[in-house]
Amino acid sequence: MTLPTPETHLRDVTRIVEHRSTGEQEFLQSVREVLDTLGPVLAEHPEFIEAGILDRLVEPERQVIFRVPWTDDQNRVQVNRGMRVQFNSVLGPYKGGLRFHPTVNLSVIKFLGFEQIFKNALTSQRIGAGKGGSDFDPAGKSASEVMRFCQSFMTELVHHIGEDTDIPAGDIGVGSREIGYLFGQYRRITQRYEAGVLTGKGVGWGGAEVRTEATGYGAVFFAQEMLARAGQGIEGRRAVVSGSGNVATYAIEKVQQLGGKAITASDSSGYIVDEAGIDLELLKQVKGVERARISEYAERRQSARYVTGGSVWDVPAELAFPCATQNELTDVHAKTMIANGVRAVTEGANMPTTPEAVELFQEAGVLFAPGKAANAGGVATSALEMSQNAARSRWDRDKSESRLHGIMRDVHESTFDASERYGRPGDYVLGANSAAFVTVAQAMLAQGVI
Ligand code: NDP
Ligand code: 2IT
């Protein structure tokens, strides 16, 4: 049998995915982004083509879609759709977050699950990849409505997860409050205190120190490594950050701790610019405690203004951290940012930058860190939480943060090394995809055709 060339193979796999997943825009985007970079790896490893690694990798191992009925505060019956995509378990049990947002559909969950395969491999922790969620919209819901929804969601999810099978965590719309409700219901149904079945738990009942901060901190650690390689740093630099949730908040915190100046935050209604630097206590109060809109921040702070229309990417800065959602930074934004002298773009969110914008940054010599490498600190710390749960131990903050920092240094190094090895030094997109793919492909090869 003659093997197809890498180019023909990649084209064939792309065609199959396009055929099977017609209309799944986000999923197809994430698959194309990976396949576009794998030519050099396949040229070095024809055995991956022979073993059909990619043909298998692009098809989830299992997908579960279920009804989530619940009653709202007016006693009306509401129905949402829940799902869990168990994408790949070659490196360990399925691991990945749950997203509750009205835009959630199968395409979104599949793209996130697919990204998770590569991200989790880069962490060097023994975790496979999955993702789940619901089109439930937490905005404007009371805490008891959120609780009833979480309980109903878990009543089905319980059949599919477990500390050695699948371990969900948070993502958009799912933070420690929701993980608490989900864990409570899991415990009640199973009659087991299986701490390692969910991560992102409260630190008082099995959660890991620094898990809340880990994604944002990790992204800034990655940026620090990437800048250092180019002889630059974070200190004294202006940073624009999008989002005002978990990832954005702690990216801002770490930028400030490292002497940078974060000046923006946003939500789906608009953004704020605070030339004095973001007041973190106020941000946490408004968004975290009060769950209010970001406009409220500007109401209470003289140095800040609230802007609707346009985006944070219109604000000039050397560093950019997209930390809200997919495809929030387009080619139009990229052109503005390049003209304004941006030096580094580090993705805290998953796939926030469109492919056209990534290309513009790379052509302009802007350092660009893809989310699957730069935001891996969250899931890596989740894996540390699982280890602590299994050992019934608890690490202090210093140890937790220093482990996170070490992991992010390693992720940067393996990503950069792979970019060199496969012919495009400093192309972190190619580097992350190649390094992760080799790890996953070798494990799949070793474990046979399953
Ligand atoms: P949160 O729910 O805490 O915050 C999300 C933020 O993004 C909010 O400010 C929200 O604004 C904004 N946002 C969400 N959807 C949209 C949208 N469609 N348009 C505009 N703004 C939007 O989520 P996280 O901070 O946890 O997640 C942010 C990103 O980081 C996501 O891409 C997620 O997948 C990724 N990520 C998260 C990790 C984690 O550990 N939590 C780990 C790795 C990646 P609003 O309140 O108005 O909706
Ligand atoms: O996208 C992600 O990596 C997450 N939402 C975190 C997943 C996890 O299991 O901690």
Side-chain angles (χ1 to χ4, degrees):
M1 180 186 79
T2 42
L3 276 183
T5 62
E7 291 67 34
T8 310
H9 179 57
L10 288 167
R11 215 172 316 123
D12 290 347
V13 175
T14 305
R15 218 172 282 139
I16 291 169
V17 183
E18 284 170 351
H19 178 69
R20 268 201 202 119
S21 310
T22 315
E24 295 181 359
Q25 297 287 352
E26 295 84 0
F27 176 55
L28 292 173
Q29 182 184 333
S30 66
V31 171
R32 286 194 196 106
E33 186 252 8
V34 170
L35 297 194
D36 276 356
T37 60
L38 293 182
V41 174
L42 292 176
E44 187 183 80
H45 293 281
E47 70 276 19
F48 295 164
I49 302 179
E50 196 179 355
I53 300 291
L54 270 178
D55 309 69
R56 289 185 272 150
L57 200 63
V58 295
E59 184 65 16
E61 290 177 12
R62 192 174 298 103
Q63 313 178 46
V64 189
I65 300 181
F66 51 94
R67 179 169 69 203
V68 190
W70 56 283
T71 47
D72 66 18
D73 287 345
Q74 284 70 47
N75 235 4
R76 283 182 306 229
V77 175
Q78 302 282 349
V79 178
N80 287 98
R81 175 173 287 185
M83 52 186 85
R84 185 76 180 163
V85 173
Q86 299 180 327
F87 226 112
N88 194 295
S89 59
V90 79
L91 295 179
Y94 308 107
K95 180 85 195 88
L98 297 171
R99 176 177 292 191
F100 294 169
H101 195 272
T103 57
V104 163
N105 57 36
L106 189 59
S107 169
V108 169
I109 297 302
K110 280 174 71 179
F111 117 67
L112 290 163
F114 186 69
E115 294 271 300
Q116 204 84 43
I117 302 174
F118 299 87
K119 183 194 308 192
N120 293 7
L122 288 172
T123 67
S124 299
Q125 307 293 307
R126 298 284 81 99
I127 40 179
K131 200 85 187 189
S134 174
D135 57 2
F136 174 76
D137 185 0
K141 302 290 189 302
S142 70
S144 49
E145 288 176 321
V146 171
M147 182 180 74
R148 286 195 296 279
F149 173 81
C150 288
Q151 290 174 339
S152 180
F153 186 86
M154 181 54 83
T155 301
E156 171 65 29
L157 192 69
V158 67
H159 300 302
H160 312 290
I161 64 173
E163 62 188 357
D164 294 319
T165 43
D166 185 352
I167 303 97
D171 194 83
I172 291 176
V174 178
S176 61
R177 177 182 69 173
E178 290 72 22
I179 294 294
Y181 296 148
L182 291 164
F183 185 77
Q185 183 75 349
Y186 183 88
R187 185 170 60 74
R188 184 175 190 195
I189 296 174
T190 61
Q191 300 183 23
R192 283 161 56 88
Y193 204 102
E194 193 183 328
V197 71
L198 289 166
T199 60
K201 299 179 291 295
V203 282
W205 47 277
E209 292 282 359
V210 188
R211 174 61 189 88
T212 306
E213 298 87 343
T215 311
Y217 279 17
V220 179
F221 288 144
F222 194 97
Q224 193 182 22
E225 294 298 312
M226 184 169 73
L227 285 159
R229 256 215 116 268
Q232 301 176 35
I234 287 175
E235 200 174 348
R237 303 260 181 239
R238 285 160 59 95
V240 284
V241 178
S242 65
S244 52
N246 172 265
V247 181
T249 301
Y250 293 99
I252 292 170
E253 183 162 289
K254 187 51 74 181
V255 163
Q256 292 184 346
Q257 286 173 7
L258 295 175
K261 191 171 176 188
I263 50 170
T264 64
S266 68
D267 61 20
S268 48
S269 318
Y271 69 95
I272 50 131
V273 189
D274 187 343
E275 288 291 344
I278 299 290
D279 176 343
L280 257 176
E281 286 320 305
L282 180 56
L283 182 69
K284 288 179 185 173
Q285 176 63 28
V286 168
K287 294 300 295 186
V289 179
E290 298 175 21
R291 297 178 187 267
R293 307 307 297 161
I294 196 69
S295 53
E296 191 59 32
Y297 177 101
E299 298 283 324
R300 299 189 207 169
R301 179 124 156 129
Q302 218 173 12
S303 53
R305 64 194 160 88
Y306 176 60
V307 188
T308 51
S311 77
V312 291
W313 314 124
D314 299 332
V315 180
E318 292 112 332
L319 309 177
F321 293 91
C323 296
T325 194
Q326 63 271 9
N327 293 326
E328 56 163 313
L329 197 172
T330 67
D331 50 347
V332 176
H333 302 130
K335 284 178 192 154
T336 308
M337 293 161 77
I338 292 165
N340 283 337
V342 71
R343 288 161 190 252
V345 178
T346 307
E347 293 187 331
N350 286 309
M351 206 171 74
T353 316
T354 64
E356 298 78 24
V358 174
E359 205 175 316
L360 286 170
F361 287 134
Q362 291 184 328
E363 276 168 7
V366 174
L367 296 168
F368 178 80
K372 60 170 81 72
N375 73 34
V379 76
T381 306
S382 278
L384 303 180
E385 182 170 328
M386 289 159 63
S387 308
Q388 290 165 73
N389 292 152
R392 298 189 190 281
S393 66
R394 182 174 159 191
W395 304 349
D396 63 20
R397 273 191 79 82
D398 284 352
K399 177 167 174 176
S400 304
E401 189 171 338
S402 93
R403 283 294 298 271
L404 166 66
H405 201 164
I407 289 171
M408 294 314 295
R409 280 203 195 100
D410 292 347
V411 173
H412 174 268
E413 194 178 305
S414 55
T415 305
F416 186 84
D417 288 352
S419 75
E420 273 189 322
R421 181 183 181 103
Y422 295 108
R424 288 177 58 92
D427 180 342
Y428 288 92
V429 176
L430 175 137
N433 292 342
S434 309
F437 177 64
V438 170
T439 303
V440 174
Q442 280 170 343
M444 288 177 74
L445 209 55
Q447 293 181 29
V449 180
I450 44 170

